[in-house]
Amino acid sequence: MSNPEFKERYFNPDADLPYGVHPDEVAEAIKEWYDLYNGINDFLHSEGHHSIENLLRANNALSDFVGDILTDNLAEASPKLIKNQKQDGFPDILPVENEEYEAKDYRVHHGDEGIETKCSQQNGGWQAHNNESAWFVIFRYASIDRDVPPEEMDDVEIIQVLSAKLEEEDWNHSGRSNDSRRTITSSIIANGMDKLRSNPIYQKPEAITGRAEPKQRYREMQAQFDPVFAEEHPEYVTEQSSLDV
């Protein structure tokens, strides 16, 4: 079985990111994830164990693990960023060039500047605890079927990385009744999802989703940076795409 790896054709070097962060630094974060992931699994297999995705079966355990590693990798890959030194602080990653944050040794409970990260198998419906105004980077990996035998379980493959500046109106807040124990959450609504899907940093064509008109637009964007997709689907090649591929 071959190990999953970063594919250049899925990388969009023209994606928009804040604070002077370059898409190449996101690419480096993904590559570093694969180096770690493949190394862990090679060791586990050599010792007669199953892959890491089989060991992390608890709810959200795998997403948390993958997301934490990618967040650390991105903070380390960019000289413009540093990880929030406060556990569970918001946002996850902070701009280095911020005097207020520097004075706090980058231990920020809730800041107005920075990048919050999310990691999920889901193609949408990503949540936070509140309606947040911040830059977000969403790491998405391919869905893993946990009902198959461990040796048949798919690898953790990064299939989509999206980014956008979301505002409070891009969320729908769900409260709870006085006698409810349900966690209070906010979910990204259609406008926020369109912002994210309109700015892919890394994307397999199969990961593109959305309603008819936006989906057409997302595929035209894919053709601008994915030459294989453009060749296989000339119907999505626009004048701008033909100049880029």
Side-chain angles (χ1 to χ4, degrees):
M1 180 181 297
S2 61
N3 290 330
E5 61 182 11
F6 181 90
K7 301 289 181 62
E8 288 289 343
R9 60 165 284 201
Y10 303 142
F11 173 59
N12 177 14
D14 297 319
D16 186 26
L17 288 163
Y19 311 117
V21 180
H22 195 276
D24 283 339
E25 293 160 351
V26 180
E28 184 63 27
I30 300 171
K31 293 174 184 177
E32 288 292 329
W33 154 254
Y34 278 134
D35 284 347
L36 176 64
Y37 170 76
N38 291 327
I40 290 174
N41 275 346
D42 287 346
F43 171 76
L44 290 172
H45 295 159
S46 71
E47 294 294 315
H49 301 296
H50 296 302
S51 298
I52 188 70
E53 56 269 15
N54 179 258
L55 300 179
L56 297 176
R57 283 181 169 270
N59 287 343
N60 298 325
L62 183 59
S63 292
D64 288 346
F65 176 73
V66 178
D68 285 347
I69 299 299
L70 286 165
T71 298
D72 288 349
N73 289 351
L74 178 54
E76 292 173 3
S78 176
K80 300 290 187 178
L81 300 175
I82 185 171
K83 186 177 180 181
N84 193 336
Q85 301 302 295
K86 183 173 180 59
Q87 187 174 5
D88 297 325
F90 178 93
D92 294 311
I93 308 175
L94 308 175
V96 171
E97 297 176 1
N98 184 299
E99 293 182 358
E100 178 185 350
Y101 291 169
E102 184 178 8
K104 296 178 179 178
D105 294 325
Y106 301 102
R107 294 178 56 84
V108 178
H109 174 67
H110 194 284
D112 295 327
E113 298 291 337
I115 299 174
E116 179 77 355
T117 63
K118 299 290 180 185
C119 182
S120 176
Q121 296 181 83
Q122 306 302 317
N123 64 12
W126 302 306
Q127 297 181 332
H129 291 300
N130 299 287
N131 292 16
E132 300 287 3
S133 176
W135 272 89
F136 280 78
V137 171
I138 309 294
F139 296 103
R140 181 180 165 208
Y141 61 97
S143 181
I144 295 174
D145 185 356
R146 296 190 176 278
D147 293 329
V148 300
E151 62 273 12
E152 297 179 15
M153 195 172 290
D154 291 331
D155 294 315
V156 175
E157 180 188 11
I158 306 301
I159 60 173
Q160 193 175 48
V161 183
L162 308 173
S163 183
K165 174 65 162 63
L166 300 184
E167 306 296 343
E168 291 186 12
E169 57 266 28
D170 293 321
W171 301 81
N172 178 45
H173 187 67
S174 299
R176 66 183 179 193
S177 62
N178 292 334
D179 57 353
S180 173
R181 296 177 60 85
R182 183 182 61 80
T183 301
I184 297 175
T185 59
S186 291
S187 300
I188 303 173
I189 59 176
N191 190 56
M193 293 301 304
D194 183 60
K195 289 181 180 179
L196 288 162
R197 290 168 176 162
S198 297
N199 189 37
I201 306 171
Y202 184 83
Q203 182 169 259
K204 291 186 69 173
E206 299 92 321
I208 298 173
T209 187
R211 296 183 177 179
E213 187 279 325
K215 196 170 184 178
Q216 168 80 17
R217 178 162 42 85
Y218 305 149
R219 286 171 170 166
E220 290 174 356
M221 295 177 63
Q222 185 79 20
Q224 292 179 23
F225 63 84
D226 182 346
V228 177
F229 182 79
E231 183 176 357
E232 292 176 348
H233 297 279
E235 68 272 25
Y236 297 121
V237 177
T238 62
E239 182 179 352
Q240 181 64 39
S241 301
S242 64
L243 293 174
D244 293 340
V245 300

